[in-house]
């Protein structure tokens, strides 16, 4: 148990489906993140939320739509995905430092997405 | 563009060996350098380094940062099969968006019995 839980752990979807990934953190953190991990590539930051406000959208296609209703929950809504979007999607949280610097990230177990 | 490069890409050793993993970086507004271990799914935190020359140690693992030469190393002594994992280096920067971590590609370590 890492304090960050993600559901579902595995998801298979067709290109025309709409699905959502969910993340919940129980650590009292004020920043949450979505990362994408593809085979043989570094972890790619997708979105950052500080105090529920989106502060970073790292040139992510609009078929990925994040939602952060409160500081403990983060969603990633998926629609009309492409096979190349198949990857492990990791959610993370952290406590933003007093000087604004990044603190230690706590990761969830990830949602393994396969797009057919 | 911020860049973090890890080497080697992969490494195979035998139990009891000592390994050194490397991480070099080129970023603006450096705040910290972090090491993570990823065995199956969730990367788990190992160290956070912010000052040059101060070694951080946890059991058989240790790490040090050189902010002048822009690199860090992660040492593992007396390796065990349980050390087999991907080791990720990430550099934290502070920009207008706030918290940002840029990850390297990782080093895949396999420890054979």
């Amino acid at each position: 148990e890492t304090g960050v839980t993600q559901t579902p752990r595995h998801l298979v979807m067709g290109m025309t489906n709409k699905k959502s990934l969910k993340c919940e953190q129980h650590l009292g953190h004020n920043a949450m993140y979505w990362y994408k991990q593809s085979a043989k590539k570094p972890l790619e930051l997708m979105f950052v939320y500080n105090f529920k406000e989106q502060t970073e959208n790292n040139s992510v296609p609009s078929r990925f739509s994040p939602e952060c209703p409160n500081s403990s929950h983060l969603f990633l809504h998926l629609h009309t995905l492409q096979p190349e979007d198949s990857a492990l999607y990791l959610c993370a949280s952290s406590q933003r430092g007093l000087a604004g610097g990044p603190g230690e990230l706590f990761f969830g177990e990830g949602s393994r997405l396969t797009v057919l | 563009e911020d860049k973090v490069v890890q080497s080697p890409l992969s490494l195979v050793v035998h139990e009891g060996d000592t390994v050194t993993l490397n991480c070099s970086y080129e970023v603006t507004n450096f705040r910290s350098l972090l090491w993570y271990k990823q065995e199956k799914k969730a990367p788990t935190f190992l160290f956070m380094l912010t000052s040059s020359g101060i070694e951080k140690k946890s059991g058989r693992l240790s790490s040090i940062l050189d902010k002048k030469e822009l690199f860090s190393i992660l040492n593992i002594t007396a390796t065990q099969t349980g050390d087999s994992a991907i080791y990720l280096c990430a550099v934290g920067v502070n920009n207008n968006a706030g918290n940002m971590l840029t990850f390297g590609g990782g080093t895949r370590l396999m420890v054979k019995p």
Side-chain angles (χ1 to χ4, degrees), chain A residues 39-100:
Chain A
K40 299 181 181 179
K41 279 186 168 184
L43 272 168
E44 299 171 62
L45 178 66
M46 299 176 73
F47 301 105
V48 180
Y49 278 82
N50 283 303
F51 301 99
K52 303 187 298 177
E53 299 295 322
Q54 184 178 315
T55 56
E56 186 76 9
N57 176 338
N58 218 19
S59 303
V60 180
S62 60
R63 56 186 185 269
F64 294 92
S65 172
E67 180 190 358
C68 188
N70 55 61
S71 58
S72 298
H73 293 85
L74 185 64
F75 295 89
L76 188 62
H77 303 300
L78 317 168
H79 65 98
T80 58
L81 294 192
Q82 305 296 314
E84 60 264 28
D85 296 322
S86 299
L88 181 67
Y89 289 85
L90 289 162
C91 173
S93 70
S94 74
Q95 187 63 26
R96 182 173 171 155
L98 289 175

Side-chain angles (χ1 to χ4, degrees), chain A residues 4-64:
Chain A
V4 180
T5 55
Q6 290 187 240
T7 54
R9 298 287 299 275
H10 299 273
L11 178 63
V12 179
M13 59 187 288
M15 296 198 308
T16 58
N17 292 158
K18 287 186 181 181
K19 297 285 184 185
S20 296
L21 306 180
K22 179 183 174 183
C23 177
E24 183 175 359
Q25 59 98 357
H26 315 276
L27 301 168
H29 290 163
N30 54 24
M32 295 188 77
Y33 312 76
W34 279 116
Y35 280 87
K36 177 183 178 183
Q37 190 173 35
S38 306
K40 299 181 181 179
K41 279 186 168 184
L43 272 168
E44 299 171 62
L45 178 66
M46 299 176 73
F47 301 105
V48 180
Y49 278 82
N50 283 303
F51 301 99
K52 303 187 298 177
E53 299 295 322
Q54 184 178 315
T55 56
E56 186 76 9
N57 176 338
N58 218 19
S59 303
V60 180
S62 60
R63 56 186 185 269
F64 294 92

Side-chain angles (χ1 to χ4, degrees), chain A residues 33 37 55-56 99-100 105 108-109, chain B residues 36 38 41-42 94 97 99 101:
Chain A
Y33 312 76
Q37 190 173 35
T55 56
E56 186 76 9
L105 281 184
E109 294 287 308
Chain B
Y36 288 84
Q38 187 175 22
K41 292 288 179 69
N94 186 237
N99 308 335
L101 277 186

Side-chain angles (χ1 to χ4, degrees), chain B residues 10-36:
Chain B
S10 64
L11 193 55
V12 181
V13 300
H14 287 94
E15 274 192 315
D17 289 349
T18 293
V19 297
T20 298
L21 310 183
N22 303 290
C23 177
S24 63
Y25 61 91
E26 290 179 35
V27 302
T28 53
N29 297 320
F30 174 91
R31 300 286 300 183
S32 58
L33 186 143
L34 296 89
W35 285 97
Y36 288 84

Side-chain angles (χ1 to χ4, degrees), chain B residues 63-79:
Chain B
S63 184
I64 197 160
L65 173 67
D66 186 329
K67 289 166 75 173
K68 183 179 175 186
E69 300 297 328
L70 308 182
F71 78 92
S72 172
I73 59 171
L74 175 68
N75 277 321
I76 309 175
T77 59
T79 51

